[in-house]
mmCIF file of all heavy atoms in Angstrom:
data_model
loop_
_atom_site.group_PDB
_atom_site.id
_atom_site.type_symbol
_atom_site.label_atom_id
_atom_site.label_comp_id
_atom_site.label_asym_id
_atom_site.label_seq_id
_atom_site.Cartn_x
_atom_site.Cartn_y
_atom_site.Cartn_z
ATOM 1 N N THR X 173 -8.120 6.381 -21.885
ATOM 2 C CA THR X 173 -7.169 7.485 -21.734
ATOM 3 C C THR X 173 -7.439 8.258 -20.445
ATOM 4 O O THR X 173 -6.529 8.551 -19.670
ATOM 5 C CB THR X 173 -7.257 8.428 -22.947
ATOM 6 O OG1 THR X 173 -6.866 7.725 -24.116
ATOM 7 C CG2 THR X 173 -6.348 9.636 -22.753
ATOM 8 N N GLY X 174 -8.711 8.573 -20.205
ATOM 9 C CA GLY X 174 -9.069 9.281 -18.984
ATOM 10 C C GLY X 174 -8.749 8.468 -17.738
ATOM 11 O O GLY X 174 -8.295 9.010 -16.726
ATOM 12 N N HIS X 175 -8.969 7.151 -17.812
ATOM 13 C CA HIS X 175 -8.698 6.257 -16.692
ATOM 14 C C HIS X 175 -7.211 6.305 -16.329
ATOM 15 O O HIS X 175 -6.846 6.486 -15.162
ATOM 16 C CB HIS X 175 -9.112 4.839 -17.095
ATOM 17 C CG HIS X 175 -9.085 3.846 -15.976
ATOM 18 N ND1 HIS X 175 -9.996 2.834 -15.862
ATOM 19 C CD2 HIS X 175 -8.236 3.675 -14.930
ATOM 20 C CE1 HIS X 175 -9.730 2.096 -14.802
ATOM 21 N NE2 HIS X 175 -8.653 2.599 -14.216
ATOM 22 N N VAL X 176 -6.340 6.145 -17.323
ATOM 23 C CA VAL X 176 -4.895 6.133 -17.077
ATOM 24 C C VAL X 176 -4.412 7.487 -16.559
ATOM 25 O O VAL X 176 -3.629 7.560 -15.597
ATOM 26 C CB VAL X 176 -4.143 5.734 -18.358
ATOM 27 C CG1 VAL X 176 -2.657 6.043 -18.244
ATOM 28 C CG2 VAL X 176 -4.359 4.255 -18.655
ATOM 29 N N LEU X 177 -4.862 8.569 -17.173
ATOM 30 C CA LEU X 177 -4.406 9.893 -16.749
ATOM 31 C C LEU X 177 -4.949 10.246 -15.364
ATOM 32 O O LEU X 177 -4.283 10.960 -14.599
ATOM 33 C CB LEU X 177 -4.821 10.947 -17.770
ATOM 34 C CG LEU X 177 -4.079 10.866 -19.112
ATOM 35 C CD1 LEU X 177 -4.614 11.903 -20.089
ATOM 36 C CD2 LEU X 177 -2.575 11.060 -18.912
ATOM 37 N N TRP X 178 -6.138 9.764 -15.015
ATOM 38 C CA TRP X 178 -6.639 9.986 -13.662
ATOM 39 C C TRP X 178 -5.733 9.289 -12.648
ATOM 40 O O TRP X 178 -5.395 9.858 -11.612
ATOM 41 C CB TRP X 178 -8.074 9.479 -13.530
ATOM 42 C CG TRP X 178 -8.731 9.924 -12.266
ATOM 43 C CD1 TRP X 178 -9.462 11.063 -12.069
ATOM 44 C CD2 TRP X 178 -8.695 9.257 -10.990
ATOM 45 N NE1 TRP X 178 -9.874 11.139 -10.758
ATOM 46 C CE2 TRP X 178 -9.422 10.060 -10.073
ATOM 47 C CE3 TRP X 178 -8.114 8.076 -10.544
ATOM 48 C CZ2 TRP X 178 -9.594 9.691 -8.749
ATOM 49 C CZ3 TRP X 178 -8.269 7.709 -9.203
ATOM 50 C CH2 TRP X 178 -9.008 8.517 -8.336
ATOM 51 N N HIS X 179 -5.333 8.057 -12.955
ATOM 52 C CA HIS X 179 -4.405 7.349 -12.076
ATOM 53 C C HIS X 179 -3.099 8.120 -11.907
ATOM 54 O O HIS X 179 -2.565 8.237 -10.794
ATOM 55 C CB HIS X 179 -4.089 5.963 -12.654
ATOM 56 C CG HIS X 179 -5.038 4.908 -12.212
ATOM 57 N ND1 HIS X 179 -4.943 3.586 -12.609
ATOM 58 C CD2 HIS X 179 -6.129 4.959 -11.407
ATOM 59 C CE1 HIS X 179 -5.916 2.884 -12.065
ATOM 60 N NE2 HIS X 179 -6.648 3.699 -11.331
ATOM 61 N N ALA X 180 -2.581 8.651 -13.009
ATOM 62 C CA ALA X 180 -1.303 9.349 -12.967
ATOM 63 C C ALA X 180 -1.362 10.615 -12.124
ATOM 64 O O ALA X 180 -0.332 11.085 -11.631
ATOM 65 C CB ALA X 180 -0.843 9.681 -14.382
ATOM 66 N N HIS X 181 -2.558 11.176 -11.968
ATOM 67 C CA HIS X 181 -2.714 12.418 -11.210
ATOM 68 C C HIS X 181 -3.455 12.215 -9.886
ATOM 69 O O HIS X 181 -3.772 13.190 -9.203
ATOM 70 C CB HIS X 181 -3.482 13.457 -12.052
ATOM 71 C CG HIS X 181 -2.724 13.954 -13.237
ATOM 72 N ND1 HIS X 181 -2.682 13.274 -14.431
ATOM 73 C CD2 HIS X 181 -1.954 15.060 -13.408
ATOM 74 C CE1 HIS X 181 -1.946 13.948 -15.298
ATOM 75 N NE2 HIS X 181 -1.491 15.024 -14.706
ATOM 76 N N ALA X 182 -3.722 10.973 -9.503
ATOM 77 C CA ALA X 182 -4.502 10.717 -8.292
ATOM 78 C C ALA X 182 -3.808 11.248 -7.037
ATOM 79 O O ALA X 182 -4.462 11.784 -6.145
ATOM 80 C CB ALA X 182 -4.766 9.215 -8.150
ATOM 81 N N SER X 183 -2.493 11.120 -6.960
ATOM 82 C CA SER X 183 -1.773 11.611 -5.784
ATOM 83 C C SER X 183 -1.855 13.135 -5.695
ATOM 84 O O SER X 183 -2.020 13.696 -4.604
ATOM 85 C CB SER X 183 -0.316 11.154 -5.827
ATOM 86 O OG SER X 183 -0.228 9.745 -5.720
ATOM 87 N N LYS X 184 -1.747 13.802 -6.840
ATOM 88 C CA LYS X 184 -1.863 15.256 -6.837
ATOM 89 C C LYS X 184 -3.282 15.675 -6.462
ATOM 90 O O LYS X 184 -3.483 16.669 -5.748
ATOM 91 C CB LYS X 184 -1.496 15.825 -8.207
ATOM 92 C CG LYS X 184 -1.568 17.346 -8.283
ATOM 93 C CD LYS X 184 -1.196 17.866 -9.653
ATOM 94 C CE LYS X 184 0.288 17.706 -9.922
ATOM 95 N NZ LYS X 184 0.682 18.391 -11.192
ATOM 96 N N LEU X 185 -4.265 14.907 -6.900
ATOM 97 C CA LEU X 185 -5.654 15.210 -6.548
ATOM 98 C C LEU X 185 -5.858 15.069 -5.039
ATOM 99 O O LEU X 185 -6.563 15.877 -4.419
ATOM 100 C CB LEU X 185 -6.597 14.270 -7.310
ATOM 101 C CG LEU X 185 -8.082 14.616 -7.305
ATOM 102 C CD1 LEU X 185 -8.327 15.978 -7.938
ATOM 103 C CD2 LEU X 185 -8.881 13.535 -8.045
ATOM 104 N N TRP X 186 -5.221 14.070 -4.439
ATOM 105 C CA TRP X 186 -5.318 13.911 -2.988
ATOM 106 C C TRP X 186 -4.665 15.099 -2.279
ATOM 107 O O TRP X 186 -5.221 15.622 -1.313
ATOM 108 C CB TRP X 186 -4.659 12.609 -2.542
ATOM 109 C CG TRP X 186 -4.488 12.529 -1.056
ATOM 110 C CD1 TRP X 186 -3.356 12.788 -0.333
ATOM 111 C CD2 TRP X 186 -5.509 12.228 -0.092
ATOM 112 N NE1 TRP X 186 -3.593 12.651 1.010
ATOM 113 C CE2 TRP X 186 -4.898 12.306 1.182
ATOM 114 C CE3 TRP X 186 -6.859 11.894 -0.187
ATOM 115 C CZ2 TRP X 186 -5.617 12.055 2.355
ATOM 116 C CZ3 TRP X 186 -7.562 11.647 0.976
ATOM 117 C CH2 TRP X 186 -6.947 11.729 2.228
ATOM 118 N N ASP X 187 -3.490 15.514 -2.744
ATOM 119 C CA ASP X 187 -2.813 16.658 -2.130
ATOM 120 C C ASP X 187 -3.687 17.912 -2.183
ATOM 121 O O ASP X 187 -3.798 18.657 -1.191
ATOM 122 C CB ASP X 187 -1.479 16.927 -2.834
ATOM 123 C CG ASP X 187 -0.465 15.823 -2.596
ATOM 124 O OD1 ASP X 187 -0.638 15.063 -1.622
ATOM 125 O OD2 ASP X 187 0.495 15.708 -3.379
ATOM 126 N N ARG X 188 -4.318 18.128 -3.320
ATOM 127 C CA ARG X 188 -5.192 19.306 -3.454
ATOM 128 C C ARG X 188 -6.405 19.174 -2.531
ATOM 129 O O ARG X 188 -6.889 20.169 -1.979
ATOM 130 C CB ARG X 188 -5.648 19.444 -4.906
ATOM 131 C CG ARG X 188 -4.496 19.634 -5.883
ATOM 132 C CD ARG X 188 -4.543 20.991 -6.537
ATOM 133 N NE ARG X 188 -3.407 21.185 -7.421
ATOM 134 C CZ ARG X 188 -3.491 21.364 -8.723
ATOM 135 N NH1 ARG X 188 -4.695 21.375 -9.306
ATOM 136 N NH2 ARG X 188 -2.412 21.558 -9.456
ATOM 137 N N PHE X 189 -6.901 17.969 -2.394
ATOM 138 C CA PHE X 189 -8.041 17.726 -1.506
ATOM 139 C C PHE X 189 -7.689 18.092 -0.061
ATOM 140 O O PHE X 189 -8.451 18.788 0.621
ATOM 141 C CB PHE X 189 -8.453 16.249 -1.609
ATOM 142 C CG PHE X 189 -9.382 15.785 -0.529
ATOM 143 C CD1 PHE X 189 -10.721 16.136 -0.536
ATOM 144 C CD2 PHE X 189 -8.903 14.985 0.509
ATOM 145 C CE1 PHE X 189 -11.580 15.695 0.469
ATOM 146 C CE2 PHE X 189 -9.749 14.551 1.509
ATOM 147 C CZ PHE X 189 -11.086 14.905 1.490
ATOM 148 N N VAL X 190 -6.532 17.643 0.416
ATOM 149 C CA VAL X 190 -6.120 17.929 1.797
ATOM 150 C C VAL X 190 -5.949 19.433 2.009
ATOM 151 O O VAL X 190 -6.392 19.993 3.022
ATOM 152 C CB VAL X 190 -4.813 17.184 2.131
ATOM 153 C CG1 VAL X 190 -4.269 17.630 3.484
ATOM 154 C CG2 VAL X 190 -5.048 15.676 2.127
ATOM 155 N N ILE X 191 -5.320 20.090 1.045
ATOM 156 C CA ILE X 191 -5.134 21.547 1.150
ATOM 157 C C ILE X 191 -6.479 22.255 1.205
ATOM 158 O O ILE X 191 -6.685 23.184 2.003
ATOM 159 C CB ILE X 191 -4.305 22.054 -0.042
ATOM 160 C CG1 ILE X 191 -2.861 21.539 0.061
ATOM 161 C CG2 ILE X 191 -4.316 23.580 -0.114
ATOM 162 C CD1 ILE X 191 -2.025 21.814 -1.173
ATOM 163 N N ASP X 192 -7.418 21.809 0.380
ATOM 164 C CA ASP X 192 -8.723 22.466 0.335
ATOM 165 C C ASP X 192 -9.513 22.230 1.619
ATOM 166 O O ASP X 192 -10.251 23.119 2.074
ATOM 167 C CB ASP X 192 -9.515 21.962 -0.871
ATOM 168 C CG ASP X 192 -10.670 22.883 -1.227
ATOM 169 O OD1 ASP X 192 -10.410 23.985 -1.733
ATOM 170 O OD2 ASP X 192 -11.828 22.512 -0.953
ATOM 171 N N VAL X 193 -9.373 21.036 2.217
ATOM 172 C CA VAL X 193 -10.057 20.781 3.489
ATOM 173 C C VAL X 193 -9.550 21.750 4.549
ATOM 174 O O VAL X 193 -10.338 22.321 5.316
ATOM 175 C CB VAL X 193 -9.839 19.323 3.943
ATOM 176 C CG1 VAL X 193 -10.348 19.131 5.379
ATOM 177 C CG2 VAL X 193 -10.569 18.359 3.017
ATOM 178 N N ARG X 194 -8.243 21.961 4.593
ATOM 179 C CA ARG X 194 -7.681 22.918 5.558
ATOM 180 C C ARG X 194 -8.250 24.323 5.315
ATOM 181 O O ARG X 194 -8.625 25.031 6.263
ATOM 182 C CB ARG X 194 -6.163 22.949 5.436
ATOM 183 C CG ARG X 194 -5.452 21.669 5.849
ATOM 184 C CD ARG X 194 -3.963 21.920 5.978
ATOM 185 N NE ARG X 194 -3.235 20.684 6.218
ATOM 186 C CZ ARG X 194 -2.478 20.072 5.318
ATOM 187 N NH1 ARG X 194 -2.359 20.590 4.099
ATOM 188 N NH2 ARG X 194 -1.839 18.958 5.601
ATOM 189 N N ARG X 195 -8.308 24.721 4.060
ATOM 190 C CA ARG X 195 -8.806 26.059 3.741
ATOM 191 C C ARG X 195 -10.265 26.212 4.131
ATOM 192 O O ARG X 195 -10.671 27.255 4.658
ATOM 193 C CB ARG X 195 -8.619 26.332 2.249
ATOM 194 C CG ARG X 195 -7.152 26.521 1.843
ATOM 195 C CD ARG X 195 -7.010 26.636 0.354
ATOM 196 N NE ARG X 195 -5.637 26.924 -0.035
ATOM 197 C CZ ARG X 195 -5.199 26.926 -1.286
ATOM 198 N NH1 ARG X 195 -6.045 26.653 -2.293
ATOM 199 N NH2 ARG X 195 -3.941 27.206 -1.550
ATOM 200 N N ARG X 196 -11.060 25.186 3.881
ATOM 201 C CA ARG X 196 -12.491 25.284 4.203
ATOM 202 C C ARG X 196 -12.715 25.288 5.716
ATOM 203 O O ARG X 196 -13.625 25.962 6.211
ATOM 204 C CB ARG X 196 -13.247 24.129 3.550
ATOM 205 C CG ARG X 196 -13.371 24.315 2.041
ATOM 206 C CD ARG X 196 -14.272 23.275 1.406
ATOM 207 N NE ARG X 196 -14.511 23.644 0.011
ATOM 208 C CZ ARG X 196 -15.468 24.442 -0.399
ATOM 209 N NH1 ARG X 196 -16.305 24.974 0.484
ATOM 210 N NH2 ARG X 196 -15.618 24.722 -1.669
ATOM 211 N N LEU X 197 -11.911 24.540 6.437
ATOM 212 C CA LEU X 197 -12.017 24.580 7.891
ATOM 213 C C LEU X 197 -11.694 25.978 8.410
ATOM 214 O O LEU X 197 -12.380 26.501 9.292
ATOM 215 C CB LEU X 197 -11.069 23.552 8.518
ATOM 216 C CG LEU X 197 -11.513 22.090 8.461
ATOM 217 C CD1 LEU X 197 -10.376 21.178 8.925
ATOM 218 C CD2 LEU X 197 -12.748 21.862 9.323
ATOM 219 N N ALA X 198 -10.638 26.579 7.861
ATOM 220 C CA ALA X 198 -10.257 27.929 8.287
ATOM 221 C C ALA X 198 -11.364 28.935 7.985
ATOM 222 O O ALA X 198 -11.742 29.752 8.841
ATOM 223 C CB ALA X 198 -8.965 28.346 7.601
ATOM 224 N N THR X 199 -11.903 28.861 6.772
ATOM 225 C CA THR X 199 -12.954 29.804 6.381
ATOM 226 C C THR X 199 -14.200 29.644 7.256
ATOM 227 O O THR X 199 -14.801 30.630 7.699
ATOM 228 C CB THR X 199 -13.325 29.589 4.901
ATOM 229 O OG1 THR X 199 -12.157 29.802 4.095
ATOM 230 C CG2 THR X 199 -14.420 30.548 4.470
ATOM 231 N N SER X 200 -14.576 28.383 7.537
ATOM 232 C CA SER X 200 -15.774 28.147 8.340
ATOM 233 C C SER X 200 -15.600 28.630 9.777
ATOM 234 O O SER X 200 -16.575 28.951 10.463
ATOM 235 C CB SER X 200 -16.139 26.659 8.339
ATOM 236 O OG SER X 200 -15.144 25.900 9.007
ATOM 237 N N ALA X 201 -14.324 28.676 10.237
ATOM 238 C CA ALA X 201 -14.062 29.150 11.595
ATOM 239 C C ALA X 201 -13.779 30.644 11.647
ATOM 240 O O ALA X 201 -13.481 31.181 12.720
ATOM 241 C CB ALA X 201 -12.885 28.381 12.185
ATOM 242 N N GLY X 202 -13.836 31.318 10.478
ATOM 243 C CA GLY X 202 -13.594 32.750 10.434
ATOM 244 C C GLY X 202 -12.124 33.118 10.519
ATOM 245 O O GLY X 202 -11.769 34.211 10.949
#
Side-chain angles (χ1 to χ4, degrees):
T173 296
H175 189 144
V176 166
L177 290 177
W178 192 90
H179 271 180
H181 292 83
S183 295
K184 181 180 289 188
L185 192 61
W186 169 261
D187 292 340
R188 299 245 177 117
F189 166 75
V190 172
I191 292 171
D192 198 71
V193 170
R194 293 192 187 107
R195 289 174 175 172
R196 287 188 171 273
L197 284 171
T199 300
S200 66

